[in-house]
Amino acid sequence: MSRRKRWRSDIRENLSLAEELEKNSLIREQTPAVAWLNTKIALDVAKLSGQNLGTPKKPIPWASVFFSSSIMTVFGYWAYWLNSEGFVWYSILPGIVAFLMAMSAYGSFLNREILPESESDLPDGAIPLRPEQASEHISQNFNMMASTGDERFEEGRQLDVAFRFFTHATKGEFDQAIALADPNWLLCRIQAWLWNNQEHFSENIEVLENMAAEMIRDRSDHDAWADYKESEISGFESTWGLLDPEKMGGASRRRRVARDYDLVILAPLGNSGGYYVNSATIAPGALTFLMRRHEGRWVVASHLTAAPPTPGFPPAWWIVGDPSVEALPD
Protein backbone atom coordinates (compact mmCIF):
# COMPACT_ATOMS: atom_id res chain seq x y z
CA MET A 1 0.00 0.00 0.00
CA SER A 2 3.07 2.29 -0.05
CA ARG A 3 2.72 5.31 -2.33
CA ARG A 4 6.37 5.00 -3.40
CA LYS A 5 5.84 1.37 -4.40
CA ARG A 6 2.78 2.37 -6.44
CA TRP A 7 4.84 5.06 -8.16
CA ARG A 8 7.57 2.54 -9.01
CA SER A 9 4.97 0.11 -10.34
CA ASP A 10 3.33 2.84 -12.45
CA ILE A 11 6.70 3.92 -13.83
CA ARG A 12 7.61 0.37 -14.86
CA GLU A 13 4.22 -0.16 -16.51
CA ASN A 14 4.37 3.20 -18.30
CA LEU A 15 7.90 2.48 -19.57
CA SER A 16 6.66 -0.79 -21.06
CA LEU A 17 3.69 1.01 -22.58
CA ALA A 18 5.95 3.73 -24.01
CA GLU A 19 8.08 1.07 -25.73
CA GLU A 20 4.94 -0.44 -27.26
CA LEU A 21 3.74 2.97 -28.45
CA GLU A 22 7.13 3.65 -30.04
CA LYS A 23 6.58 0.58 -32.24
CA ASN A 24 3.29 1.97 -33.55
CA SER A 25 4.28 4.35 -36.33
CA LEU A 26 0.79 5.86 -36.63
CA ILE A 27 0.60 6.86 -32.94
CA ARG A 28 4.27 7.88 -32.83
CA GLU A 29 4.21 10.11 -35.90
CA GLN A 30 0.65 11.42 -35.97
CA THR A 31 -0.05 12.06 -32.28
CA PRO A 32 1.87 13.42 -29.26
CA ALA A 33 0.84 10.39 -27.18
CA VAL A 34 4.42 9.19 -26.71
CA ALA A 35 5.52 12.63 -25.53
CA TRP A 36 2.61 12.79 -23.08
CA LEU A 37 3.47 9.41 -21.57
CA ASN A 38 7.18 10.22 -21.38
CA THR A 39 6.29 13.47 -19.61
CA LYS A 40 4.27 11.59 -16.99
CA ILE A 41 7.15 9.12 -16.48
CA ALA A 42 9.66 11.97 -16.02
CA LEU A 43 7.39 13.73 -13.51
CA ASP A 44 6.78 10.51 -11.55
CA VAL A 45 10.52 9.82 -11.38
CA ALA A 46 11.11 13.39 -10.17
CA LYS A 47 8.52 12.96 -7.41
CA LEU A 48 9.97 9.58 -6.45
CA SER A 49 13.46 11.06 -6.14
CA GLY A 50 12.23 13.99 -4.08
CA GLN A 51 12.81 16.70 -6.67
CA ASN A 52 10.91 19.95 -6.18
CA LEU A 53 8.92 20.62 -9.36
CA GLY A 54 7.19 23.76 -8.18
CA THR A 55 8.18 27.37 -8.57
CA PRO A 56 11.04 28.22 -6.17
CA LYS A 57 9.76 29.81 -2.98
CA LYS A 58 11.19 31.85 -0.15
CA PRO A 59 11.40 30.11 3.25
CA ILE A 60 8.52 30.60 5.66
CA PRO A 61 9.39 33.28 8.29
CA TRP A 62 8.58 31.12 11.29
CA ALA A 63 9.69 33.79 13.76
CA SER A 64 7.04 36.18 12.39
CA VAL A 65 4.45 33.41 12.37
CA PHE A 66 5.16 32.59 16.03
CA PHE A 67 5.09 36.27 17.08
CA SER A 68 1.80 36.96 15.27
CA SER A 69 0.22 33.76 16.57
CA SER A 70 1.20 34.57 20.15
CA ILE A 71 -0.30 38.05 20.02
CA MET A 72 -3.40 36.68 18.29
CA THR A 73 -3.87 34.12 21.07
CA VAL A 74 -3.46 36.68 23.86
CA PHE A 75 -5.79 39.30 22.39
CA GLY A 76 -8.22 36.67 21.16
CA TYR A 77 -8.54 35.20 24.63
CA TRP A 78 -8.87 38.73 26.06
CA ALA A 79 -11.76 39.48 23.71
CA TYR A 80 -13.39 36.15 24.64
CA TRP A 81 -12.98 36.88 28.38
CA LEU A 82 -14.53 40.34 28.04
CA ASN A 83 -17.60 38.79 26.39
CA SER A 84 -17.87 35.85 28.81
CA GLU A 85 -20.86 37.43 30.64
CA GLY A 86 -22.34 39.16 27.61
CA PHE A 87 -21.23 41.29 24.71
CA VAL A 88 -19.44 44.53 25.50
CA TRP A 89 -18.56 46.96 22.76
CA TYR A 90 -14.95 47.58 23.84
CA SER A 91 -14.14 43.87 23.23
CA ILE A 92 -14.04 44.85 19.56
CA LEU A 93 -10.61 46.47 20.08
CA PRO A 94 -8.70 43.32 21.20
CA GLY A 95 -10.77 41.37 18.67
CA ILE A 96 -9.52 43.60 15.85
CA VAL A 97 -5.92 43.15 17.03
CA ALA A 98 -6.38 39.36 17.17
CA PHE A 99 -7.91 39.38 13.67
CA LEU A 100 -5.04 41.45 12.24
CA MET A 101 -2.46 39.15 13.83
CA ALA A 102 -4.26 36.14 12.36
CA MET A 103 -4.14 37.73 8.91
CA SER A 104 -0.44 38.52 9.42
CA ALA A 105 0.35 34.90 10.30
CA TYR A 106 -1.72 33.66 7.34
CA GLY A 107 0.04 36.10 4.99
CA SER A 108 3.42 34.64 5.91
CA PHE A 109 2.46 31.54 3.91
CA LEU A 110 1.39 33.48 0.80
CA ASN A 111 3.23 35.09 -2.14
CA ARG A 112 6.52 33.34 -1.44
CA GLU A 113 7.24 32.57 -5.09
CA ILE A 114 10.61 33.86 -6.28
CA LEU A 115 10.09 36.01 -9.35
CA PRO A 116 12.16 35.10 -12.45
CA GLU A 117 15.18 37.21 -13.17
CA SER A 118 15.27 39.71 -15.96
CA GLU A 119 15.73 38.48 -19.52
CA SER A 120 17.86 41.49 -20.45
CA ASP A 121 20.73 39.18 -21.40
CA LEU A 122 18.76 37.83 -24.37
CA PRO A 123 19.31 39.20 -27.89
CA ASP A 124 17.07 42.00 -29.15
CA GLY A 125 13.85 40.56 -30.52
CA ALA A 126 14.25 37.22 -28.72
CA ILE A 127 11.12 35.79 -27.12
CA PRO A 128 11.83 33.57 -24.07
CA LEU A 129 10.39 30.06 -23.93
CA ARG A 130 10.47 29.53 -20.18
CA PRO A 131 7.39 27.96 -18.60
CA GLU A 132 6.62 28.98 -15.04
CA GLN A 133 6.47 25.44 -13.67
CA ALA A 134 9.15 22.77 -13.85
CA SER A 135 6.49 20.23 -14.86
CA GLU A 136 5.56 22.45 -17.81
CA HIS A 137 9.25 22.69 -18.72
CA ILE A 138 9.60 18.89 -18.79
CA SER A 139 6.44 18.56 -20.86
CA GLN A 140 7.65 21.30 -23.23
CA ASN A 141 10.96 19.50 -23.80
CA PHE A 142 9.26 16.25 -24.77
CA ASN A 143 6.73 18.03 -26.96
CA MET A 144 9.45 20.00 -28.75
CA MET A 145 11.46 16.84 -29.43
CA ALA A 146 8.36 15.03 -30.61
CA SER A 147 7.28 17.88 -32.88
CA THR A 148 10.63 18.90 -34.34
CA GLY A 149 12.23 15.48 -34.66
CA ASP A 150 15.67 17.13 -34.60
CA GLU A 151 18.09 14.21 -34.60
CA ARG A 152 21.10 16.51 -34.12
CA PHE A 153 20.48 16.45 -30.37
CA GLU A 154 20.79 12.66 -30.22
CA GLU A 155 23.92 11.04 -28.84
CA GLY A 156 26.82 11.19 -31.27
CA ARG A 157 25.14 13.72 -33.58
CA GLN A 158 26.21 17.28 -34.40
CA LEU A 159 24.82 19.27 -31.46
CA ASP A 160 25.46 16.54 -28.91
CA VAL A 161 29.15 16.32 -29.90
CA ALA A 162 29.54 20.11 -29.97
CA PHE A 163 28.02 20.41 -26.48
CA ARG A 164 30.24 17.67 -25.07
CA PHE A 165 33.36 19.15 -26.68
CA PHE A 166 32.52 22.59 -25.27
CA THR A 167 31.81 21.16 -21.80
CA HIS A 168 35.07 19.19 -21.66
CA ALA A 169 37.03 22.23 -22.88
CA THR A 170 35.54 24.53 -20.23
CA LYS A 171 36.38 22.00 -17.50
CA GLY A 172 39.97 21.51 -18.63
CA GLU A 173 39.30 17.92 -19.73
CA PHE A 174 41.50 18.18 -22.81
CA ASP A 175 41.90 14.46 -23.51
CA GLN A 176 38.13 13.98 -23.58
CA ALA A 177 37.73 17.06 -25.78
CA ILE A 178 40.24 16.01 -28.45
CA ALA A 179 38.55 12.59 -28.61
CA LEU A 180 35.59 14.49 -30.10
CA ALA A 181 37.71 16.52 -32.53
CA ASP A 182 38.81 15.98 -36.11
CA PRO A 183 42.42 14.70 -36.39
CA ASN A 184 43.03 17.60 -38.78
CA TRP A 185 41.92 20.04 -36.03
CA LEU A 186 44.37 18.51 -33.56
CA LEU A 187 47.21 18.63 -36.09
CA CYS A 188 46.57 22.32 -36.76
CA ARG A 189 46.40 23.09 -33.03
CA ILE A 190 49.78 21.41 -32.50
CA GLN A 191 51.27 23.19 -35.51
CA ALA A 192 50.02 26.55 -34.24
CA TRP A 193 51.54 25.88 -30.81
CA LEU A 194 54.89 24.86 -32.28
CA TRP A 195 54.89 27.88 -34.60
CA ASN A 196 54.22 30.24 -31.69
CA ASN A 197 57.09 28.66 -29.72
CA GLN A 198 59.75 28.54 -32.44
CA GLU A 199 62.31 30.19 -30.18
CA HIS A 200 62.05 27.20 -27.85
CA PHE A 201 61.98 24.44 -30.47
CA SER A 202 63.32 25.43 -33.90
CA GLU A 203 62.79 27.87 -36.74
CA ASN A 204 63.38 25.09 -39.24
CA ILE A 205 60.00 24.17 -40.79
CA GLU A 206 61.09 20.60 -41.51
CA VAL A 207 62.02 20.09 -37.85
CA LEU A 208 58.66 21.47 -36.75
CA GLU A 209 56.81 19.23 -39.22
CA ASN A 210 58.55 16.13 -37.90
CA MET A 211 57.88 17.18 -34.32
CA ALA A 212 54.16 17.73 -35.03
CA ALA A 213 53.92 14.27 -36.61
CA GLU A 214 55.65 12.72 -33.58
CA MET A 215 53.29 14.49 -31.15
CA ILE A 216 50.27 13.28 -33.11
CA ARG A 217 51.62 9.74 -33.03
CA ASP A 218 53.00 9.54 -29.48
CA ARG A 219 50.60 11.90 -27.65
CA SER A 220 51.35 11.70 -23.90
CA ASP A 221 54.56 9.76 -24.49
CA HIS A 222 56.10 12.75 -26.25
CA ASP A 223 58.27 15.07 -24.15
CA ALA A 224 56.45 18.21 -25.34
CA TRP A 225 52.90 16.87 -24.97
CA ALA A 226 52.46 17.89 -21.33
CA ASP A 227 53.47 21.49 -22.07
CA TYR A 228 51.21 21.59 -25.13
CA LYS A 229 48.28 20.18 -23.15
CA GLU A 230 48.77 22.67 -20.34
CA SER A 231 48.86 25.54 -22.82
CA GLU A 232 45.64 24.39 -24.49
CA ILE A 233 43.81 23.94 -21.20
CA SER A 234 44.86 27.40 -20.07
CA GLY A 235 43.75 28.92 -23.37
CA PHE A 236 40.31 27.32 -23.39
CA GLU A 237 39.69 28.08 -19.71
CA SER A 238 40.62 31.73 -20.16
CA THR A 239 38.34 32.01 -23.21
CA TRP A 240 35.37 29.84 -22.22
CA GLY A 241 35.89 29.42 -18.48
CA LEU A 242 33.17 31.91 -17.50
CA LEU A 243 30.56 30.29 -19.76
CA ASP A 244 28.14 27.80 -18.20
CA PRO A 245 27.36 24.84 -20.49
CA GLU A 246 24.06 24.40 -18.60
CA LYS A 247 22.96 27.83 -19.83
CA MET A 248 23.86 27.31 -23.49
CA GLY A 249 21.43 26.17 -26.16
CA GLY A 250 21.79 24.90 -29.71
CA ALA A 251 20.28 26.77 -32.67
CA SER A 252 17.46 24.64 -34.04
CA ARG A 253 17.90 25.26 -37.78
CA ARG A 254 20.33 22.95 -39.55
CA ARG A 255 23.12 24.76 -41.41
CA ARG A 256 24.85 22.56 -43.97
CA VAL A 257 28.14 23.93 -45.27
CA ALA A 258 29.23 21.10 -47.58
CA ARG A 259 28.97 17.37 -47.91
CA ASP A 260 29.63 15.92 -44.44
CA TYR A 261 30.05 19.41 -42.96
CA ASP A 262 27.48 21.14 -40.74
CA LEU A 263 27.66 24.41 -38.83
CA VAL A 264 26.15 24.46 -35.34
CA ILE A 265 25.69 27.46 -33.07
CA LEU A 266 25.66 27.38 -29.27
CA ALA A 267 24.16 30.54 -27.81
CA PRO A 268 23.73 31.73 -24.19
CA LEU A 269 20.17 31.28 -22.96
CA GLY A 270 20.45 33.47 -19.88
CA ASN A 271 17.77 32.33 -17.44
CA SER A 272 15.10 31.85 -20.09
CA GLY A 273 15.58 28.13 -20.72
CA GLY A 274 15.39 28.92 -24.43
CA TYR A 275 14.08 31.53 -26.86
CA TYR A 276 13.01 31.93 -30.45
CA VAL A 277 13.34 34.74 -32.98
CA ASN A 278 11.21 35.73 -35.95
CA SER A 279 14.00 37.33 -37.99
CA ALA A 280 17.76 37.33 -38.37
CA THR A 281 19.21 38.13 -34.95
CA ILE A 282 22.73 38.62 -33.64
CA ALA A 283 23.21 36.44 -30.55
CA PRO A 284 25.93 37.98 -28.33
CA GLY A 285 28.33 35.40 -26.96
CA ALA A 286 27.30 32.70 -29.43
CA LEU A 287 29.89 30.05 -30.34
CA THR A 288 30.22 28.58 -33.82
CA PHE A 289 31.41 25.02 -34.40
CA LEU A 290 32.05 23.39 -37.75
CA MET A 291 31.16 19.71 -37.50
CA ARG A 292 32.48 17.03 -39.84
CA ARG A 293 31.23 13.50 -40.45
CA HIS A 294 34.50 11.57 -40.24
CA GLU A 295 34.72 7.79 -40.41
CA GLY A 296 31.06 7.37 -39.62
CA ARG A 297 30.88 9.79 -36.66
CA TRP A 298 30.55 13.52 -36.13
CA VAL A 299 33.59 15.41 -34.85
CA VAL A 300 34.54 19.06 -34.31
CA ALA A 301 36.37 20.31 -37.43
CA SER A 302 36.79 23.93 -36.26
CA HIS A 303 35.84 25.94 -33.20
CA LEU A 304 36.58 29.32 -34.79
CA THR A 305 35.09 29.65 -38.26
CA ALA A 306 32.85 27.97 -40.83
CA ALA A 307 35.85 26.49 -42.66
CA PRO A 308 38.13 23.64 -41.56
CA PRO A 309 41.70 24.75 -40.78
CA THR A 310 44.44 24.05 -43.30
CA PRO A 311 47.65 22.46 -41.96
CA GLY A 312 50.91 24.34 -42.39
CA PHE A 313 53.39 26.56 -40.59
CA PRO A 314 51.50 28.54 -39.56
CA PRO A 315 48.20 26.72 -40.13
CA ALA A 316 45.35 28.71 -41.67
CA TRP A 317 42.35 29.11 -39.36
CA TRP A 318 40.58 31.42 -41.84
CA ILE A 319 40.01 34.19 -39.33
CA VAL A 320 40.76 37.85 -40.03
CA GLY A 321 43.47 39.31 -37.84
CA ASP A 322 45.28 36.07 -36.91
CA PRO A 323 48.51 37.38 -35.29
CA SER A 324 50.58 34.54 -36.75
CA VAL A 325 49.43 35.41 -40.27
CA GLU A 326 49.70 39.16 -39.75
CA ALA A 327 53.39 38.73 -38.81
CA LEU A 328 54.26 36.81 -42.00
CA PRO A 329 56.42 38.61 -44.58
CA ASP A 330 54.75 39.60 -47.85
Side-chain angles (χ1 to χ4, degrees):
M1 299 298 293
S2 169
R3 177 184 297 180
R4 298 178 66 84
K5 289 185 178 180
R6 291 200 303 273
W7 275 343
R8 291 191 183 96
S9 178
D10 289 345
I11 291 171
R12 282 192 292 266
E13 292 177 0
N14 288 333
L15 282 173
S16 299
L17 179 57
E19 292 177 358
E20 293 296 325
L21 292 177
E22 285 284 357
K23 298 176 184 178
N24 189 311
S25 59
L26 180 63
I27 293 178
R28 184 184 68 249
E29 297 174 3
Q30 302 299 325
T31 73
V34 177
W36 292 339
L37 187 57
N38 284 330
T39 299
K40 175 172 173 50
I41 294 171
L43 293 175
D44 287 344
V45 171
K47 293 176 182 177
L48 186 64
S49 59
Q51 297 297 318
N52 182 15
L53 297 181
T55 303
K57 296 182 179 181
K58 300 176 183 177
I60 297 174
W62 288 109
S64 298
V65 173
F66 177 78
F67 178 76
S68 300
S69 300
S70 300
I71 295 180
M72 177 196 70
T73 302
V74 171
F75 279 82
Y77 181 77
W78 187 12
Y80 170 78
W81 179 78
L82 291 174
N83 291 296
S84 60
E85 295 182 358
F87 174 76
V88 292
W89 67 268
Y90 47 82
S91 65
I92 295 176
L93 298 178
I96 291 176
V97 175
F99 176 77
L100 293 177
M101 291 299 102
M103 291 298 99
S104 176
Y106 177 68
S108 298
F109 296 89
L110 303 177
N111 299 324
R112 295 187 298 113
E113 290 78 8
I114 299 176
L115 297 177
E117 298 179 9
S118 172
E119 305 297 346
S120 58
D121 50 354
L122 294 184
D124 293 337
I127 302 174
L129 284 174
R130 180 179 58 200
E132 293 300 325
Q133 299 291 337
S135 57
E136 295 176 9
H137 180 68
I138 294 174
S139 177
Q140 181 190 66
N141 285 346
F142 278 116
N143 289 332
M144 288 183 67
M145 287 187 290
S147 61
T148 62
D150 195 340
E151 298 178 347
R152 297 178 307 140
F153 288 93
E154 296 179 1
E155 184 176 359
R157 302 301 294 269
Q158 300 97 304
L159 278 167
D160 171 67
V161 173
F163 265 114
R164 287 193 285 136
F165 175 87
F166 170 66
T167 301
H168 289 313
T170 57
K171 294 181 179 180
E173 299 169 346
F174 186 66
D175 292 332
Q176 293 88 330
I178 62 174
L180 302 171
D182 189 351
N184 179 70
W185 177 89
L186 180 59
L187 173 61
C188 291
R189 294 297 296 176
I190 292 175
Q191 289 178 336
W193 181 72
L194 293 174
W195 177 262
N196 293 330
N197 291 277
Q198 293 179 71
E199 69 282 357
H200 180 71
F201 297 110
S202 174
E203 295 184 1
N204 188 305
I205 300 300
E206 184 176 352
V207 172
L208 295 179
E209 288 177 346
N210 293 334
M211 190 172 181
E214 292 172 358
M215 292 180 66
I216 287 287
R217 183 187 67 237
D218 300 337
R219 302 289 177 94
S220 59
D221 293 332
H222 195 279
D223 294 339
W225 182 264
D227 292 334
Y228 162 70
K229 179 178 176 179
E230 182 180 353
S231 173
E232 290 288 76
I233 292 175
S234 176
F236 279 114
E237 287 183 341
S238 64
T239 305
W240 294 345
L242 297 179
L243 299 176
D244 184 359
E246 297 294 331
K247 293 186 178 182
M248 301 288 286
S252 58
R253 184 171 67 86
R254 185 178 183 184
R255 295 166 172 81
R256 301 192 69 178
V257 176
R259 183 185 296 276
D260 295 330
Y261 282 95
D262 273 26
L263 196 69
V264 302
I265 298 176
L266 306 186
L269 301 178
N271 297 294
S272 66
Y275 61 86
Y276 67 91
V277 294
N278 294 319
S279 60
T281 301
I282 298 177
L287 304 177
T288 300
F289 293 88
L290 180 67
M291 310 301 295
R292 177 192 178 195
R293 185 164 25 215
H294 176 67
E295 297 181 350
R297 68 188 187 101
W298 286 97
V299 293
V300 175
S302 177
H303 66 294
L304 295 173
T305 61
T310 302
F313 284 93
W317 290 96
W318 306 114
I319 57 175
V320 177
D322 186 338
S324 298
V325 176
E326 293 285 349
L328 292 176
D330 291 335

